[in-house]
Amino acid sequence: MIAVVVLFMGTVAGWVPAAVISGFKPIEVTRGTFRRKTKNVYSKILITLQYAITIILLGCTVIITQQIRFMQSSDKGFNPENLIVCSYHPHMISRDATPLINKIKNIPGVVDAMQCAEYPMKRVANNSRFKDKDGVDHTHTLFYVDSSFISVLGMKIKSINTHNPDGYWINETAAKQLGIDEDAVVYNGADGYSFAIRGVLKDFNYTDFTSPIGAVEMRPLPKTVPPRDIIIKISGENRAATLSRIRDEYNKMAGGDIFDGQFMTDLIASYYKTQTRLSNLLGLLSFIAIVISSMGMLAMSIYFTRQRARDMAVRKVFGATPHGVLGLLMGGFLKLVGVAFVISVPIIYLLMQEWLSGYVYRIRLTPVPFLIAGGIVLVIAVLTVVGHSVKVAVSNPVDSLKAE
């Protein structure tokens, strides 16, 4: 692939100059207009292309960064802050996790601790499949939890039934699919499938934003079944020290260094590593494109201002002000940025619409990222060419005409 690209670039780089030279008119070479025409045309095309690429990279970087921030900071239906999640190993500790839970609760900085099998944002989850009375198939994601699961994760309760302390919690999506009222106490499906209802929870994200929120059942963790996970809520102070003490206590009871705890916020961030890498890569490419474009614009501004020195001198002799001359010089350069912006906007829109379509929950494309990208390039273009343009605008026209 690299060899093909190199061959293509070499062919184009050789063919374009050859085509231009072979089509020249001798009289233009004699007058010197051929050199100015070719430099003007191809320089403008290349600079416009460079700035278009820069705007595209910047625009995509801004939009991807916005989507990542949206996914990490949006309301997930639970509070992941200051939560530590870790696996439980009953074969090395005990089938009953209660002694370990109690020791962890006594550690300074620990607010609460609980045991469960599955939790939001864990990549592996159990499912329950059944039919309702109309024969419609349903699939519920299962969470086996203890009584403090909801409070530890800060989930929002929509309704609660105090008569069924051992019933199942379901989320709003499950209640809607099953046609259950908020005050329902039991669900009866086909083939004798039924369960008592403890209450209805507000919907929460239990996977990343590429999947929609599905139906959820939360069942009490059976006392005869050991948990697979432990969730620990800590205070916001000295988090690292608290995590270290939890690790020591866990490994002490396990008789080995097997603690794999991590903050849930870090777990959530790991879901978006690919997107973060892509954003960082585009940011680096944008910086490189800005440097290359600035160098090209600087070279072109030096060339153009020298080429138009006599023209500007004549204008000043006939009454043109330095501000007017500066406007003429800057206008030519800024038009290239405008053309690049017009070219870039639809490309950014199409690329990002396709990329965002992979997320069920996503940001809306607004003019802001496009204006940010265009504004950055505009500022860079102005800073690049303003020095030489000002020099020509304020120079003595007599000096320019003498040099000509």
Side-chain angles (χ1 to χ4, degrees):
M1 183 63 183
I2 297 177
V4 173
V5 173
V6 171
L7 180 62
F8 174 77
M9 294 296 293
T11 302
V12 173
W15 178 81
V16 172
V20 173
I21 293 173
S22 63
F24 75 88
K25 295 180 181 180
I27 188 64
E28 290 186 349
V29 176
T30 304
R31 292 175 177 175
T33 56
F34 172 75
R35 178 170 59 88
R36 290 194 294 271
K37 282 184 179 180
T38 53
K39 284 191 175 182
N40 287 351
V41 172
Y42 288 102
S43 296
K44 289 179 179 179
I45 292 175
L46 291 175
I47 293 299
T48 303
L49 180 61
Q50 287 176 347
Y51 274 119
I53 293 173
T54 305
I55 294 173
I56 292 170
L57 290 173
L58 285 171
C60 292
T61 301
V62 172
I63 293 171
I64 292 174
T65 302
Q66 286 181 336
Q67 176 65 17
I68 294 173
R69 290 179 178 175
F70 169 73
M71 293 186 294
Q72 292 180 337
S73 63
S74 62
D75 184 9
K76 298 172 180 60
F78 66 95
N79 183 11
E81 296 295 328
N82 299 321
L83 291 183
I84 297 173
V85 294
C86 67
S87 302
Y88 183 72
H89 302 274
H91 61 286
M92 298 188 68
I93 304 176
S94 171
R95 290 181 61 84
D96 184 8
T98 304
L100 175 61
I101 295 293
N102 291 335
K103 285 185 176 294
I104 290 176
K105 286 182 178 180
N106 292 327
I107 294 175
V110 173
V111 177
D112 202 353
M114 47 80 60
Q115 50 190 311
C116 61
E118 318 303 347
Y119 53 82
M121 308 307 291
K122 188 178 179 181
R123 297 182 184 275
V124 180
N126 293 321
N127 293 318
S128 170
R129 295 179 176 84
F130 60 93
K131 295 180 182 291
D132 61 21
K133 291 184 176 180
D134 296 326
V136 178
D137 290 318
H138 294 279
T139 300
H140 288 184
T141 298
L142 297 182
F143 294 87
Y144 291 94
V145 302
D146 73 7
S147 57
S148 58
F149 184 88
I150 293 173
S151 60
V152 169
L153 269 73
M155 292 180 169
K156 300 174 183 177
I157 298 175
K158 187 174 183 181
S159 65
I160 186 171
N161 180 7
T162 58
H163 299 291
N164 292 330
D166 295 326
Y168 297 173
W169 289 96
I170 60 175
N171 66 345
E172 291 176 298
T173 298
K176 183 178 180 180
Q177 288 182 0
L178 300 177
I180 296 176
D181 296 329
E182 291 185 10
D183 56 352
V185 296
V186 66
Y187 171 76
N188 294 305
D191 300 326
Y193 179 82
S194 64
F195 57 84
I197 299 174
R198 173 64 167 149
V200 179
L201 297 171
K202 291 281 189 179
D203 280 339
F204 61 93
N205 289 100
Y206 54 89
T207 61
D208 63 17
F209 280 27
T210 59
S211 303
I213 295 176
V216 170
E217 285 181 27
M218 284 190 181
R219 301 180 180 182
L221 183 67
K223 295 181 180 180
T224 58
V225 178
R228 287 197 291 266
D229 308 287
I230 293 177
I231 300 180
I232 307 160
K233 186 175 182 63
I234 65 174
S235 64
E237 300 178 359
N238 300 320
R239 300 195 333 157
T242 303
L243 178 61
S244 178
R245 287 192 286 265
I246 293 172
R247 178 184 292 106
D248 293 341
E249 188 63 48
Y250 185 101
N251 290 334
K252 180 181 178 181
M253 292 198 67
D257 187 10
I258 61 172
F259 181 74
D260 62 356
Q262 62 177 321
F263 289 102
M264 184 173 280
T265 49
D266 295 336
L267 174 65
I268 294 173
S270 70
Y271 273 74
Y272 309 113
K273 281 185 178 179
T274 301
Q275 294 87 337
T276 303
R277 290 194 190 101
L278 177 60
S279 176
N280 293 337
L281 177 61
L282 288 177
L284 176 61
L285 293 177
S286 299
F287 174 77
I288 295 173
I290 288 172
V291 172
I292 294 174
S293 299
S294 299
M295 292 173 64
M297 181 66 87
L298 179 62
M300 191 176 72
S301 67
I302 295 173
Y303 174 76
F304 280 178
T305 51
R306 288 180 178 177
Q307 289 290 328
R308 301 194 64 183
R310 182 177 61 180
D311 180 25
M312 295 299 106
V314 172
R315 289 176 181 271
K316 291 174 71 174
V317 168
F318 283 93
T321 63
H323 290 90
V325 172
L326 181 62
L328 287 173
L329 291 172
M330 293 291 294
F333 299 123
L334 299 185
K335 284 179 182 178
L336 301 181
V337 179
V339 173
F341 182 76
V342 172
I343 294 172
S344 304
V345 167
I347 297 176
I348 296 173
Y349 182 83
L350 293 175
L351 290 174
M352 290 296 95
Q353 277 287 81
E354 178 65 23
W355 184 77
L356 289 171
S357 65
Y359 298 92
V360 176
Y361 308 100
R362 54 184 179 266
I363 61 173
R364 293 178 57 189
L365 285 179
T366 65
V368 174
F370 303 93
L371 295 177
I372 290 175
I376 291 174
V377 172
L378 179 62
V379 170
I380 292 171
V382 170
L383 294 177
T384 303
V385 304
V386 68
H388 292 282
S389 298
V390 169
K391 184 177 180 180
V392 172
V394 300
S395 63
N396 190 334
V398 175
D399 296 335
S400 299
L401 293 175
K402 283 182 178 179
E404 291 291 333

